[in-house]
Amino acid sequence: MTVVVSGVGVVLPRARTAPELMAPVAEAPPVEPKDLVGRKGLRYKDRATQLAYCAADAALRHAGLLDDGGLRVPGGSVAVVASSNYGNLDTICRAIDTIAEQTAAAGSAMDLPNASSNVIASSVAIRFGLRGPNLMLCNGATSGLDAVHWAATLIRGGRASRALVLGVEPDNESVRAFTGGARTIDGAAALVVESEESAAERGASATAVLGTYVRGAGLGRTLERLARTTGDRPALWHLPEQRAAAVPDTLLEGVDRHDLAEVFGLGSGALGVLQCAAAVGWFAQGGAGPVYATAGTDADDASAGIALHGRAAA
């Protein structure tokens, strides 16, 4: 079954469209969720969830699944797969500090839902009425690409006709303390992926096709497996975040490279979703040939990669 990308939502300070991930604006203020989706429903939601609302709204509308009247397809046909490694870290740190300094009873009841790691996926599903399978991934460097893979797996397995894939990371003091001072993207990206048949039935356009997904130990071996299964040398390679230590010059020598982290900050759990969105933007601007999205290191740690193809190459 062919799985295509039919919608993209990008909510970053320097990018609000998929093409801008390849050529961002020079400067921009932080994202203000109330300006994008209104104030309703934002109270008591952490920043990661608010940012996810914005990206989800943009992607669902871009795919033609949502308008001002609400969801245009049965809610049970849409799965949600979200990825974030630091999404509710500030809530957890605040709760721990409260317990340490006072008692557990002193904690805020409004913070309790945000203390669950799946708060992003579940909150987005509730807000938009998406009643299909609901998954939250928080598993390190490969989390975003894994989320894209599991969304495609749900579709190919017949569990859903389409899936909303979210990647989001907030920037706050708790995250910077945990990452040693690194600043995250403080934004979100979303994809709507669905079967080719589902998109055709709705008359939806798609600019990218999800190809081979590979996961294993070592970035080099992951790239070798991608090349064997894809059969074509990539035209563009989205680099993992551990670029300096993880990407020898000999890997895919001569292939154009793009480093989203260098431009936008630490993507972490959102990186893979951002990379796929950037590939869509590249195709939309006339880019041709396979695009590799990768995460992980060239050591014996987990690495993952996905090959994406322009719609005409499907």
Side-chain angles (χ1 to χ4, degrees):
M1 178 187 292
T2 301
V3 178
V4 300
V5 180
S6 59
V8 178
V10 177
V11 182
L12 296 176
R14 297 177 59 202
R16 297 297 171 86
T17 67
E20 285 179 347
L21 290 172
M22 299 299 298
V25 299
E27 294 183 11
V31 174
E32 185 52 72
K34 72 179 188 324
D35 293 340
L36 300 178
V37 295
R39 294 179 180 274
K40 186 177 180 179
L42 298 186
R43 192 177 185 186
Y44 302 125
K45 298 299 182 182
D46 59 21
R47 181 158 177 81
T49 299
Q50 293 184 9
L51 291 169
Y53 284 167
C54 299
D57 184 88
L60 291 170
R61 289 179 184 274
H62 184 214
L65 298 179
L66 180 73
D67 59 23
D68 291 341
L71 198 64
R72 299 180 61 189
V73 296
S77 72
V78 188
V80 177
V81 186
S83 172
S84 181
N85 291 321
Y86 310 127
N88 67 339
L89 184 61
D90 55 340
T91 300
I92 298 301
C93 290
R94 186 164 56 249
I96 291 173
D97 290 343
T98 298
I99 293 171
E101 296 169 4
Q102 302 177 52
T103 67
S108 168
M110 297 298 101
D111 260 354
L112 186 58
N114 298 331
S116 175
S117 61
N118 74 334
V119 64
I120 297 169
S122 58
S123 295
V124 167
I126 293 169
R127 182 180 179 95
F128 295 100
L130 311 178
R131 300 191 301 275
N134 191 277
L135 301 176
M136 183 75 207
L137 281 74
C138 318
N139 63 310
T142 66
S143 188
L145 290 180
D146 295 339
V148 176
H149 165 67
W150 281 111
T153 299
L154 288 171
I155 294 167
R156 293 184 177 117
R159 297 293 304 279
S161 298
R162 50 197 70 88
L164 174 67
V165 189
L166 292 157
V168 56
E169 295 292 4
D171 179 59
N172 53 55
E173 291 182 4
S174 297
V175 173
R176 290 196 293 272
F178 187 83
T179 60
R183 289 185 176 271
T184 72
I185 59 171
D186 196 38
L191 308 171
V192 172
V193 299
E194 59 186 308
S195 67
E196 187 175 35
E197 293 78 8
S198 170
E201 288 173 1
R202 298 190 302 107
S205 61
T207 57
V209 176
L210 295 182
T212 301
Y213 163 84
V214 172
R215 195 176 195 280
L219 180 63
R221 284 179 289 238
T222 294
L223 291 171
E224 289 174 2
R225 290 173 60 195
L226 268 180
R228 285 198 304 269
T229 54
T230 301
D232 293 320
R233 187 174 174 82
L236 178 68
W237 177 22
H238 285 295
L239 298 172
E241 284 183 325
Q242 297 87 349
R243 176 185 173 191
V247 185
D249 292 337
T250 53
L251 289 179
L252 296 184
E253 188 173 1
V255 172
D256 286 343
R257 305 179 177 203
H258 192 63
D259 187 350
L260 287 166
E262 185 176 32
V263 179
F264 296 104
L266 185 66
S268 192
L271 177 65
V273 185
L274 280 171
Q275 290 176 333
C276 292
V280 171
W282 189 71
F283 292 135
Q285 292 183 313
V291 173
Y292 284 3
T294 57
T297 72
D298 202 38
D300 290 330
D301 300 322
S303 297
I306 291 179
L308 296 97
H309 308 267
R311 186 64 187 83

